[in-house]
Amino acid sequence: MLEDGLTTIVLPTLSTMIIFLFTLNFFRYLIGKPYIHIRDVTKEHNWKPITRAKKAYYCNICESLLLNTDGLMCDSCGICADPACVKTADKQLKCKVISLNTEKPMRHHWIKGNLPLTAVCDICDEECDSEPGLIDWWCCWCQRCVHEACKPILSKRCDFGQFKLMIIPPSSLEVVNQCSTVRRRLQLRSIIPPDWPRWKPLIVVANKKSGNKDGAEILSVFRKLLNPAQIVDLSERDPVAALEWCRLLGKVACTVLVAGGDGTIAWLLNAIHKLQLKPVPSVAIIPLGTGNDLSRVLGWGKEHDPDKDPADILQEIQIAQKVKLDRWTVVIKPTSGLGLRGSLQTFHMYNYISVGVDAQVTLQFHRTRESRFYFYSSRLFNKLLYLCFGTQQVVERECKDLDKNVELYLDDKKVDLPSIEGIVILNIPSWAAGVNLWNIGLEGHEEYGKQSIDDGKLEVVALYSSFHMAQLQVGLSQPYRIGQASTIKVKLLKSYAMQIDGEPWYQHPCEFNITYCNKASLLVNMVN
């Protein structure tokens, strides 16, 4: 009986379910997803623990003083609650409205108490929130603060404040339908630009799991300053989905603020290139990685300061200037020992490519960081770990005699190499977390041109050893300059570690060609 039930009921049921799911997903794939899925924050608040508090917070329901150990704050509208009042707050206090189907002027969304530090009344210019308790008001859209007595004097119309031209107002988002209440997501069909001159909305993308959870904090603070729908978490959406915002904006140019390391930035720039967006969005950076070479070159800093006011970042983006960065195509043609070629691989490069000892150290560091035994993460610990692997290569010399196992061609001319362990091909004047490799000791070498990020040329440098790398990083040595070129071909006759923009792997014998592709659009921070 058991076997009969298995063959006549269970197996047909399972097979039917599998066929149904396969067919459903197949049709979803064919039809595609024309809408952007966004979180419906009107259902409930986006609560997060209050951390690094520099002031006292009070519950917006019971008005009791919140302790850092149990206080919660909505990172979209800014209301606070203790755990016992969360459900009541979700029912009684509305969060920021993402979408609003009306042509009427926007009204202030007032939040009582818990004003930002150094809050000043917009009417009388006197300090607000100066006494204990839940007092005074602030608008979570325009960020204006007012005293209780001054509130009736202020216009009821909200103009979205100093960052108006970066905000997508709720009336501009056309929502077509709502998904299940379990997922709390909306489907966005189109964006209707507001009648604002020089409107250039900002899309913020970051991975909440990256940067020792700094990514989550960045997503959180910008939800409070902008429309929460403009904030995209890369742990839930890939860059292509995030850039759908740019497509829906049509002819309106937008800015994308990406928080991450060099790999995340390259990932986003590749997605922009793939989608062929017109106009091309400009990219600003909040550095969260360990190297952050591109961020250093563009003036966004070597690392993120968690205490920096996010409003200062938005002000820097407003006055930042657009620059072009060369994008390079890298085509790798694997070869077997019999001389047979495998399938081609195509990448894009923005910072630099390296083969040999530099990539070997990066690969060992990357494998350790991705290991399940890697429990502790901090910038200082990562630097010490990187130094450890560099010291290890001084002893082991896994990339010894690289010059005998590689052929290098600059603009189709073969180059004779000295005894080296690494080759670095540079597009920007920053390598290995801030070393201006090409320009070290360049004075007196008139045969070499200056380095530029948009001249259609690459600079090629050789590394003698891991010890030579360490000397370059502390300024005790000079690089071995091989030359500059517009096209580069490298033949690897033996397997070596290789990396592109900080993403390493172990490469078997191959031939790879680097050619100019086009230019990416980025922003230079004019403040730093």
Side-chain angles (χ1 to χ4, degrees), residues 189-230:
R189 185 172 67 182
S190 64
I191 300 174
I192 305 168
D195 188 20
W196 298 342
R198 297 178 290 108
W199 182 57
K200 192 171 185 178
L202 178 71
I203 308 300
V204 181
V205 298
N207 188 331
K208 66 182 180 183
K209 299 177 182 178
S210 67
N212 199 22
K213 297 187 177 179
D214 284 341
E217 185 65 24
I218 287 169
L219 292 170
S220 182
V221 296
F222 283 105
R223 286 191 187 100
K224 192 177 295 184
L225 291 172
L226 307 171
N227 189 327
Q230 296 173 240

Side-chain angles (χ1 to χ4, degrees), residues 265 269 294 297-298 323-328 349-351 427-428 452-454 516 518-522:
I265 298 167
L269 293 176
L294 187 56
V297 170
L298 298 177
V323 295
K324 297 297 182 181
L325 172 71
D326 288 338
R327 178 186 282 114
W328 297 87
M349 182 268 286
Y350 303 91
N351 297 358
N427 186 42
I428 63 173
S452 174
I453 64 174
D454 63 350
Y516 174 79
N518 54 22
K519 296 186 187 298
S521 179
L522 293 107

Side-chain angles (χ1 to χ4, degrees), residues 351-370:
N351 297 358
Y352 52 83
I353 295 175
S354 65
V355 178
V357 63
D358 171 38
Q360 182 67 39
V361 173
T362 304
L363 179 60
Q364 290 176 307
F365 172 74
H366 181 78
R367 285 173 174 173
T368 302
R369 193 170 55 175
E370 295 296 316

Side-chain angles (χ1 to χ4, degrees), residues 156-199:
K156 294 182 179 180
R157 181 173 181 173
C158 179
D159 64 359
F160 296 97
Q162 62 175 322
F163 303 121
K164 170 181 178 177
L165 300 181
M166 307 175 86
I167 294 174
I168 300 178
S171 58
S172 291
L173 300 185
E174 184 182 1
V175 177
V176 290
N177 69 326
Q178 183 176 333
C179 296
S180 66
T181 56
V182 176
R183 294 183 62 187
R184 294 190 301 277
R185 294 190 182 278
L186 300 174
Q187 289 185 326
L188 178 67
R189 185 172 67 182
S190 64
I191 300 174
I192 305 168
D195 188 20
W196 298 342
R198 297 178 290 108
W199 182 57

Side-chain angles (χ1 to χ4, degrees), residues 439-506:
N439 292 316
I440 296 176
L442 187 60
E443 294 182 4
H445 294 273
E446 289 76 13
E447 68 271 24
Y448 298 115
K450 292 184 178 180
Q451 188 175 23
S452 174
I453 64 174
D454 63 350
D455 61 355
K457 289 184 179 181
L458 293 168
E459 287 70 35
V460 186
V461 173
L463 304 173
Y464 294 121
S465 64
S466 178
F467 185 65
H468 184 213
M469 280 178 53
Q471 289 178 311
L472 289 167
Q473 289 174 322
V474 295
L476 295 178
S477 184
Q478 293 191 12
Y480 179 87
R481 297 178 187 85
I482 297 177
Q484 295 171 296
S486 298
T487 62
I488 296 175
K489 179 167 67 175
V490 179
K491 291 184 178 180
L492 286 183
L493 309 179
K494 182 182 174 182
S495 298
Y496 284 101
M498 181 174 173
Q499 69 159 327
I500 297 179
D501 293 342
E503 299 298 322
W505 71 93
Y506 199 70

Side-chain angles (χ1 to χ4, degrees), residues 376-400:
Y376 181 71
S377 176
S378 74
R379 291 187 61 85
L380 179 60
F381 180 76
N382 287 340
K383 289 179 179 179
L384 292 174
L385 189 62
Y386 199 91
L387 177 62
C388 176
F389 288 129
T391 305
Q392 180 181 339
Q393 283 303 308
V394 174
V395 179
E396 296 183 358
R397 299 192 65 188
E398 295 181 56
C399 301
K400 182 183 178 182

